[in-house]
Amino acid sequence: MNAQPNESLSQQWFSKFKYICVPLLEKSHLSAGTIAAVLPLLSNLESTLLDAGETGFSLSQSLVSYIFFPLSTILRRNELSAIPDQILERIFGVLAILCETWWWYCDVQIWDQIFKLCSSIIGGVEGKGKGKVRDDETKEAAARCLWAILRERRAEEAPQDSPEELLHTRISQLQAHSQSLQFMPVLGQTINTLLLTAKSPHLPLQRISLKIMRALIGVYASEQFLPSILPGVVSSMTRIALGMSSKKGWVNGDIVALSLETLEPVIVKSLGDDVSIREGVVRSVVDLEDFINLAGAPAVDPKPSELPPYLTPRTSSWLRASASQLHIAINSLTLLVNHPTPLALVALSSFSRAILASTHLTLPQSRPLLLSFLLSLSSCAFPEVSQAAHHALSELLATASNARLPLLQALLEISKENLSSLPRSISSQDDTKVEHIAGQIEAICRLATSSSTPPTGLSLTSISSGIETLLGPTGGIEKWGFTLLSVLEFTSPQVTVGQGSIAQLLLEDDADNPDTVNFPEAILKNVLAKPTRDALARMLRALGRSSGENSIYAVEWFVRTGCYSRTNNAVAALWCAARLLEGICGFSLDEGGMAISSGPRSRKLERFARGLARDLTELWDEESDLDSQTDTPRTDRQTDDSLLKTEFTKGFKTIRATLQVAEPRATLPTLSEEQPVLHKIFCLQLLSISAGILQARYASVLIQVLYPVLHSIVSPTPHLSLTGLATLHFMSAVMSYASPANLLLSNFDYALDSVSRRLSRRWLDVDATKVMAVLVRLVGADVVQKAGDVVEECFDRLDEYHGYEVIVQGLVGVLGEVIKVIEAEEPPTKKEGWDDMQSSMIVRSLDPLFEWLTHRKDLPPHEDTPDYGPAPQRAWGATKADEESDERQSDGPTTHVKVAEDAEPAPTPGQALTKQMVSRSIYFLTHASPVIRARILTLLSSATPVLPESALLPSIHQAWPFILNRLNDAEPFVVSAAAGLVESLVTHVGNFMGRRVWDDVWPRFSSILKQLDASDDQNALARRGYGAVGTESAYTHSHRLYRSILRTMTAAVAGVHMQDTSSWQVILAFRRFLHKQAHEELQACARELYVTLGKGNEDAVWLALMATCGRLTGEVTYLREYKWDIQDNVRVILNE
């Protein structure tokens, strides 16, 4: 039943093809008139064949022969050179479609004729002599037709109802024909032609040519024939892959992949181990019998059998020559490691794996080169490339084959050579070479880790054991370690880029700020590119990770070398130790503390981490003069081998014309100032890594570690300060603290004790006060609970070191930090309210006066009180004593109630602490140092809003003469601080400051204004211009002093009744600040002052300001000031 529909379908398609083939056969003899008719017929035939293939219709053998007949007639009846390119292109397009089906059952001779036809068109050899040069599109069509009869088929593509062995049988038939001696010249000519077209700029022709060549070499060419074409194919494929024939840059990734896929089979089938062993060129030695056969092998090659002249026999000499040339060609492919496309890199990985697996006996000199390809590709940024290369290495090294041991040995040799050449590459500043070497060592270490062990069960223990030996006691680290350290010279970056800075410490107590601080990066002088520096760091981490705890010896050696001095070698040693230790622990400081797993650590590693932390913290305790530090360590330690200079001189030695017999000693290089800083930076990194190892168990060494970390934070060097802050953040994260403030608060006693020990006469560190200040600032509001100990410690040290200006200045700074914290946390105390004196003195209405005048003589109102007659005034029988007793009893409870009502609330801990600081610090108002005097005044200003009047005013009253003397101080910043204190007192305790302002402060302010007016004329920061007032910057001492005086007088005017004389002086003295050329802040303060003055004496303010503007005439014209433009501010003050 199915036969009839199939037969009818075949008849339908046959009719369609007949409708085309019959006229095509009639016009098979091409001429000028028939060419125009043949082209559409061929196009229609090609489209019809495509439609038949899309519908699933399979062409029968007879139908294929029927369609082929008119095509063959055209080719027979016309000279090939006379057929136009367009006709040939259509013919080859139809033939390519037919051959997809015809390949399975066509006669071998037909296959041969189609092969020769396509080859002749591609190569331009059409008959005798030189053929016609066809265009690239025609050659592409011929190549596609040739590809249709050469491509490898799958069993699923076989026709229906065909035997299962049809594919194998068909390939065997075609291979037998293509490998015959008669067909070999044709095959050779075709390959030669394809080598030329593979270099064509026409990309489709180039791609199809490479595909055909790969199929010919891999399937149809015999092993005896391939040695003859090996040089040409290798040379052409390498040139194509590298793009030597064009100047456009990198070749397309698919072209590189096809070139390498073509190069792989020709090398494997020409010089592979299997074919070479069969030919007797090399011998494989696996067991004792192979050794016996090797001993009895002839010394010379046997005479090869007679071969045609176009075949090359395989001999030992041929193998040596070919292997040498092939090594040069493979070496030229090194550039492909940096190809930008993953397709090309994956192809290079596959090519290297295949060559290594098949030629370990014939190409031993290329083994390290191919392994380096795979090692470099395993570190590629493309995941598919790195995975493919890593999988290839794992398969090669884990497979139980003869190639495994040579490859493992080659890997160890590569590691040794790379480590020995790394210092030379670094010193020559060859960043590309350094990154390449570091990447290869990292890839080798990655192979040795347990996570990369392949599923075959064969671990790469030899690699890991080799690395363990290298980093162990017998690895000779004393030799290669010093060589590496001698070329690693670090320097701090010119600009530190990071979110963390000293300014960030001011926001440290902000709980909403979860950002962590990253460790800043140090710069290598001999390594310019950042990727290269990262590659070196990854290399050391990989070495530590692959060897595990067995590399602790190397870390200890680097740490010992780094602790000897602050030289370049010591700094580099600490950096190497930090990177190795990161690899051992399995984390990096760049990842942050939150990314560290809390898995268990071995006791050996934890014990080493504790000892390392204690040893490093002792470096901060050593009192060494870094300025006189030299490159030589102390004499009781071993000599640094890097200082033994090896010198090569050529020529004659110069004779010195001097009587000195001894040779002049070479001067050692001076130590740069930044090396001690870098030394501390890498010590902090090692402390952070030790914290990452111990995690919560790190608390046992915090008493030694906290001071070095905090000491680094207060460093004036931004790079070191940021590293210290990053270390503190990292420690708090790995120890499971929410923030550094919580860490310091939990261990506050440790930190305070470490600071106290460094403020003793036995052990005095001038930076200890800065550490205490930053400790208070970091802890923030919670420090109030512990601040009593801090304050007590500060005053104890002030009593002991009051004559040392630097220490006293630092201790006062600590007290200032405590006051700032208390001021931020304590609510402002309620002061006694004081009325606005100026407003209360002004009479707004006379109605009360008129009311009083009207009723001043009225009698008081009559009260109707009943007359009860005479009555006793006290109880009968009560005596005077009883009366007094009753009076005392009645007055007792009332008195107690009154006292209870008038009693002040108990002071808070912060207020009690502030009172203690104020009472004990006022004595330093007369200190010889102006900085300390200014800081004490600032401290008192900050304490004023915190303390209640009962606690504050006794101390202020006692210190008032000293405060007044500070207003006459020789240093402007001290005067400014004193004015700030007066401003704070007037603002918060106005009743107390009432008369003191006008009697004591205002005369001094008046003289200060005159002095500032004269000094501004000589100040470089003073505003320039006619009538200019003040300075340009708002941060000068004179500006701050102006601002404090204005605010103080504003508060005094509002709270104290002043005489008209003083009022008039104030009005005239501050007119200059209404000038529009004055600073905006000073103008705003002056406007506020005059508005307040206007509330008490509006007429005087109006008179003075209007006269100054020139709006009044008469006796007040002397107040006119032409140099001040105050019109705008006067309008605002008078509400005009």
Side-chain angles (χ1 to χ4, degrees):
M1 297 178 63
N2 295 330
Q4 293 181 356
N6 290 336
E7 185 176 353
S8 61
L9 184 62
S10 299
Q11 289 296 330
Q12 293 177 5
W13 283 109
F14 175 75
S15 301
K16 293 181 180 180
F17 289 123
K18 180 179 178 181
Y19 180 77
I20 301 172
C21 292
V22 170
L24 188 61
L25 185 61
E26 293 176 355
K27 298 177 176 60
S28 58
H29 184 72
L30 299 178
S31 62
T34 58
I35 291 177
V38 169
L39 276 174
L41 290 174
L42 290 173
S43 300
N44 193 12
L45 178 60
E46 183 178 3
S47 61
T48 305
L49 286 171
L50 292 175
D51 293 340
E54 291 177 357
T55 58
F57 177 73
S58 299
L59 300 175
S60 61
Q61 184 175 359
S62 58
L63 186 57
V64 172
S65 301
Y66 178 79
I67 298 172
F68 178 71
F69 181 73
L71 303 178
S72 61
T73 303
I74 294 175
L75 296 174
R76 287 196 306 269
R77 294 186 63 182
N78 301 279
E79 290 289 336
L80 196 58
S81 59
I83 301 177
D85 292 347
Q86 293 181 343
I87 299 294
L88 274 180
E89 187 177 347
R90 301 297 191 282
I91 291 175
F92 282 122
V94 174
L95 282 177
I97 299 174
L98 293 177
C99 290
E100 292 293 335
T101 305
W102 207 11
W103 181 86
W104 294 94
Y105 42 77
C106 72
D107 187 70
V108 176
Q109 294 302 321
I110 296 178
W111 183 89
D112 181 270
Q113 293 300 318
I114 296 176
F115 186 98
K116 292 178 180 179
L117 174 64
C118 296
S119 177
S120 63
I121 297 298
I122 295 173
V125 183
E126 305 171 7
K128 298 179 180 180
K130 185 177 181 181
K132 180 180 179 182
V133 179
R134 302 288 182 177
D135 56 15
D136 291 338
E137 286 75 13
T138 304
K139 292 180 180 180
E140 180 190 352
R144 294 193 180 280
C145 180
L146 184 59
W147 171 249
I149 64 173
L150 293 178
R151 72 175 184 86
E152 296 184 58
R153 263 76 173 178
R154 300 188 304 272
E156 294 81 6
E157 300 179 28
Q160 295 181 358
D161 302 330
S162 60
E164 295 180 359
E165 63 276 3
L166 177 61
L167 178 61
H168 177 72
T169 304
R170 187 60 179 169
I171 292 178
S172 300
Q173 291 176 357
L174 298 178
Q175 284 179 341
H177 178 74
S178 61
Q179 295 174 4
S180 61
L181 296 178
Q182 294 79 13
F183 193 77
M184 279 188 184
V186 179
L187 185 62
Q189 180 63 33
T190 304
I191 291 177
N192 183 58
T193 299
L194 292 172
L195 290 176
L196 297 176
T197 56
K199 302 174 184 177
S200 172
H202 188 59
L203 289 180
L205 177 59
Q206 187 181 25
R207 291 190 185 95
I208 196 65
S209 300
L210 292 172
K211 290 181 180 180
I212 295 171
M213 201 181 317
R214 181 186 59 189
L216 287 176
I217 295 173
V219 179
Y220 296 98
S222 63
E223 291 181 351
Q224 291 78 15
F225 177 71
L226 289 178
S228 301
I229 64 172
L230 176 66
V233 173
V234 171
S235 176
S236 299
M237 293 302 104
T238 53
R239 293 177 64 86
I240 292 171
L242 297 174
M244 294 182 179
S245 58
S246 62
K247 298 181 180 180
K248 64 178 183 177
W250 290 107
V251 184
N252 291 353
D254 56 345
I255 300 298
V256 176
L258 290 172
S259 302
L260 296 176
E261 291 173 1
T262 305
L263 193 59
E264 174 190 327
V266 73
I267 295 175
V268 172
K269 297 180 71 173
S270 299
L271 291 92
D273 294 339
D274 297 338
V275 65
S276 298
I277 292 173
R278 287 197 303 268
E279 295 288 337
V281 180
V282 295
R283 294 182 179 273
S284 177
V285 179
V286 179
D287 49 20
L288 293 178
E289 185 178 356
D290 295 333
F291 275 108
I292 297 174
N293 296 333
L294 183 63
V300 296
D301 293 331
K303 185 177 181 180
S305 57
E306 294 295 333
L307 294 176
Y310 47 80
L311 296 181
T312 302
R314 291 183 176 88
T315 61
S316 299
S317 59
W318 170 86
L319 178 61
R320 287 192 297 271
S322 299
S324 177
Q325 296 299 318
L326 188 59
H327 179 72
I328 296 174
I330 295 176
N331 189 30
S332 66
L333 298 176
T334 306
L335 296 175
L336 294 180
V337 175
N338 299 320
H339 200 279
T341 59
L343 184 60
L345 298 177
V346 172
L348 181 61
S349 173
S350 177
F351 168 79
S352 302
R353 181 189 60 80
I355 302 302
L356 285 172
S358 305
T359 61
H360 73 279
L361 294 176
T362 55
L363 298 176
Q365 67 270 41
S366 300
R367 189 184 304 134
L369 180 61
L370 293 169
L371 277 175
S372 68
F373 288 171
L374 290 176
L375 292 173
S376 299
L377 293 175
S378 64
S379 301
C380 181
F382 298 110
E384 60 269 27
V385 178
S386 59
Q387 292 174 5
H390 188 74
H391 183 69
L393 283 169
S394 301
E395 284 188 348
L396 288 171
L397 298 174
T399 305
S401 63
N402 298 333
R404 182 173 183 268
L405 292 178
L407 290 176
L408 288 174
Q409 184 65 27
L411 278 178
L412 295 178
E413 290 295 328
I414 290 174
S415 302
K416 182 179 179 180
E417 292 177 2
N418 285 333
L419 283 176
S420 61
S421 62
L422 181 61
R424 294 193 298 271
S425 301
I426 293 176
S427 60
S428 61
Q429 297 185 356
D430 188 355
D431 287 0
T432 304
K433 182 67 174 177
V434 171
E435 188 173 357
H436 171 73
I437 292 174
Q440 288 201 339
I441 297 176
E442 180 188 1
I444 294 174
C445 296
R446 197 183 300 118
L447 288 172
T449 55
S450 59
S451 60
S452 61
T453 302
T456 56
L458 298 173
S459 60
L460 305 178
T461 56
S462 58
I463 300 178
S464 58
S465 61
I467 297 174
E468 292 171 4
T469 303
L470 179 69
L471 299 176
T474 61
I477 191 174
E478 293 81 4
K479 295 181 180 179
W480 64 265
F482 272 121
T483 306
L484 178 62
L485 297 181
S486 63
V487 297
L488 294 176
E489 184 176 357
F490 286 87
T491 180
S492 300
Q494 297 298 326
V495 178
T496 301
V497 180
Q499 296 180 355
S501 62
I502 299 300
Q504 185 178 356
L505 296 179
L506 301 176
L507 304 176
E508 182 58 29
D509 55 348
D510 185 6
D512 299 330
N513 184 17
D515 295 337
T516 59
V517 182
N518 297 325
F519 284 86
E521 183 182 22
I523 304 299
L524 275 168
K525 286 186 177 180
N526 293 330
V527 179
L528 304 179
K530 185 179 183 301
T532 308
R533 296 194 297 269
D534 295 341
L536 285 173
R538 290 197 306 269
M539 177 195 73
L540 291 174
R541 293 190 191 105
L543 286 171
R545 188 183 304 112
S546 59
S547 59
E549 296 180 2
N550 295 315
S551 60
I552 290 181
Y553 175 83
V555 178
E556 290 177 341
W557 184 85
F558 280 122
V559 171
R560 287 198 305 270
T561 305
C563 292
Y564 283 163
S565 64
R566 307 296 186 268
T567 60
N568 295 334
N569 288 349
V571 172
L574 292 177
W575 180 80
C576 293
R579 304 291 81 79
L580 280 175
L581 193 56
E582 283 179 345
I584 296 173
C585 306
F587 65 85
S588 173
L589 294 180
D590 299 333
E591 299 173 356
M594 302 302 295
I596 298 177
S597 61
S598 58
R601 309 283 185 185
S602 66
R603 291 185 178 180
K604 178 181 178 181
L605 186 59
E606 291 186 355
R607 185 167 57 252
F608 170 74
R610 290 191 186 92
L612 176 64
R614 293 189 178 98
D615 293 341
L616 292 176
T617 53
E618 292 178 358
L619 297 177
W620 271 265
D621 301 336
E622 294 180 358
E623 297 180 2
S624 57
D625 188 4
L626 297 180
D627 296 334
S628 61
Q629 184 83 14
T630 61
D631 281 349
T632 25
R634 295 202 295 261
T635 56
D636 58 340
R637 292 177 175 161
Q638 298 177 356
T639 305
D640 193 346
D641 290 348
S642 64
L643 301 177
L644 302 177
K645 214 164 151 193
T646 302
E647 184 179 0
F648 175 75
T649 58
K650 187 175 181 181
F652 298 100
K653 183 177 180 181
T654 305
I655 299 176
R656 296 177 293 107
T658 178
L659 296 177
Q660 295 180 1
V661 179
E663 292 282 344
R665 305 182 75 179
T667 58
L668 293 174
T670 58
L671 181 64
S672 62
E673 296 180 357
E674 61 186 7
Q675 294 305 316
V677 174
L678 291 171
H679 191 274
K680 290 185 178 180
I681 286 173
F682 293 136
C683 286
L684 289 172
Q685 292 186 7
L686 284 170
L687 289 176
S688 301
I689 299 171
S690 63
I693 297 173
L694 297 173
Q695 297 182 0
R697 294 177 293 278
Y698 199 63
S700 60
V701 294
L702 270 181
I703 190 172
Q704 291 96 2
V705 172
L706 278 179
Y707 185 81
V709 175
L710 296 175
H711 186 274
S712 301
I713 292 177
V714 301
S715 171
T717 305
H719 200 62
L720 179 58
S721 177
L722 185 57
T723 304
L725 188 59
T727 303
L728 188 61
H729 274 266
F730 189 87
M731 288 181 178
S732 61
V734 297
M735 296 181 69
S736 301
Y737 285 99
S739 66
N742 292 342
L743 169 66
L744 294 174
L745 184 62
S746 300
N747 301 274
F748 193 86
D749 294 336
Y750 285 167
L752 187 60
D753 178 70
S754 62
V755 175
S756 301
R757 286 187 288 110
R758 288 166 176 82
L759 284 175
S760 61
R761 291 190 178 273
R762 176 180 170 272
W763 192 1
L764 183 60
D765 185 1
V766 294
D767 291 333
T769 56
K770 298 179 182 178
V771 174
M772 191 182 298
V774 80
L775 175 64
V776 173
R777 189 184 306 170
L778 283 168
V779 174
D782 295 328
V783 80
V784 178
Q785 306 171 10
K786 308 285 186 178
D789 298 334
V790 176
V791 173
E792 192 66 32
E793 183 69 28
C794 288
F795 282 110
D796 289 345
R797 296 299 178 264
L798 282 172
D799 294 339
E800 189 173 0
Y801 299 109
H802 60 272
Y804 298 91
E805 179 181 346
V806 177
I807 300 177
V808 174
Q809 182 178 343
L811 292 172
V812 172
V814 176
L815 296 176
E817 292 293 336
V818 175
I819 286 291
K820 289 180 182 179
V821 174
I822 296 176
E823 184 181 4
E825 292 300 317
E826 287 289 333
T829 58
K830 295 182 179 180
K831 314 292 184 180
E832 289 188 11
W834 51 312
D835 299 331
D836 191 341
M837 291 291 183
Q838 303 302 318
S839 299
S840 62
M841 297 298 296
I842 300 176
V843 178
R844 301 297 179 184
S845 175
L846 296 178
D847 292 340
L849 175 61
F850 297 149
E851 182 70 19
W852 176 80
L853 288 174
T854 304
H855 302 283
R856 69 183 187 280
K857 295 183 179 181
D858 293 349
L859 295 175
H862 178 72
E863 295 182 0
D864 186 11
T865 56
D867 186 9
Y868 297 103
Q873 301 297 322
R874 59 180 180 270
W876 295 99
T879 63
K880 185 175 182 181
D882 296 338
E883 211 174 56
E884 292 176 358
S885 176
D886 294 339
E887 185 177 356
R888 285 196 302 268
Q889 291 179 2
S890 62
D891 293 341
T894 307
T895 306
H896 289 305
V897 172
K898 183 177 181 181
V899 172
E901 290 177 354
D902 295 342
E904 293 186 357
T908 62
Q911 292 176 347
L913 200 60
T914 306
K915 179 182 179 181
Q916 180 186 2
M917 285 188 285
V918 169
S919 61
R920 298 185 64 175
S921 61
I922 59 177
Y923 302 102
F924 291 92
L925 288 173
T926 58
H927 197 276
S929 172
V931 177
I932 296 175
R933 297 198 298 267
R935 290 203 173 188
I936 293 296
L937 290 169
T938 305
L939 177 69
L940 295 176
S941 301
S942 301
T944 300
V946 177
L947 291 177
E949 294 184 1
S950 60
L952 174 68
L953 297 184
S955 298
I956 297 298
H957 177 72
Q958 181 182 359
W960 184 247
F962 308 117
I963 297 173
L964 292 178
N965 289 337
R966 297 289 71 80
L967 290 174
N968 299 327
D969 202 284
E971 296 294 337
F973 61 89
V974 178
V975 179
S976 177
L981 173 59
V982 173
E983 174 192 348
S984 180
L985 291 172
V986 170
T987 303
H988 295 90
V989 286
N991 290 335
F992 172 77
M993 292 295 295
R995 298 309 310 171
R996 296 175 187 263
V997 173
W998 300 112
D999 296 341
D1000 300 333
V1001 176
W1002 167 240
R1004 289 175 172 80
F1005 276 180
S1006 179
S1007 61
I1008 290 174
L1009 289 174
K1010 295 177 182 179
Q1011 295 174 6
L1012 289 177
D1013 193 15
S1015 62
D1016 283 346
D1017 295 338
Q1018 302 175 357
N1019 192 346
L1021 299 177
R1023 291 175 174 264
R1024 302 306 177 195
Y1026 184 67
V1029 179
T1031 57
E1032 295 285 350
S1033 174
Y1035 301 98
T1036 59
H1037 294 297
S1038 63
H1039 179 90
R1040 293 175 179 176
L1041 188 53
Y1042 281 139
R1043 182 182 58 197
S1044 296
I1045 292 175
L1046 285 168
R1047 290 178 177 175
T1048 302
M1049 298 311 300
T1050 302
V1053 167
V1056 180
H1057 174 65
M1058 58 181 176
Q1059 299 177 358
D1060 293 339
T1061 304
S1062 300
S1063 175
W1064 183 253
Q1065 292 175 357
V1066 172
I1067 292 172
L1068 297 182
F1070 294 98
R1071 291 177 298 165
R1072 71 186 76 173
F1073 300 107
L1074 296 176
H1075 184 31
K1076 70 177 183 179
Q1077 296 297 330
H1079 196 278
E1080 291 293 335
E1081 186 179 13
L1082 297 182
Q1083 292 185 52
C1085 293
R1087 286 195 298 267
E1088 184 180 0
L1089 172 61
Y1090 278 97
V1091 169
T1092 307
L1093 285 168
K1095 296 178 181 179
N1097 198 341
E1098 186 176 2
D1099 295 335
V1101 172
W1102 178 86
L1103 179 65
L1105 294 182
M1106 297 299 286
T1108 304
C1109 296
R1111 297 184 184 181
L1112 299 179
T1113 59
E1115 297 180 357
V1116 294
T1117 54
Y1118 73 96
L1119 297 176
R1120 175 74 169 110
E1121 292 290 347
Y1122 295 95
K1123 59 182 179 180
W1124 296 335
D1125 185 3
I1126 64 173
Q1127 299 286 345
D1128 297 337
N1129 287 318
V1130 169
R1131 293 192 188 97
V1132 174
I1133 296 170
L1134 301 180
N1135 294 323
E1136 292 183 358

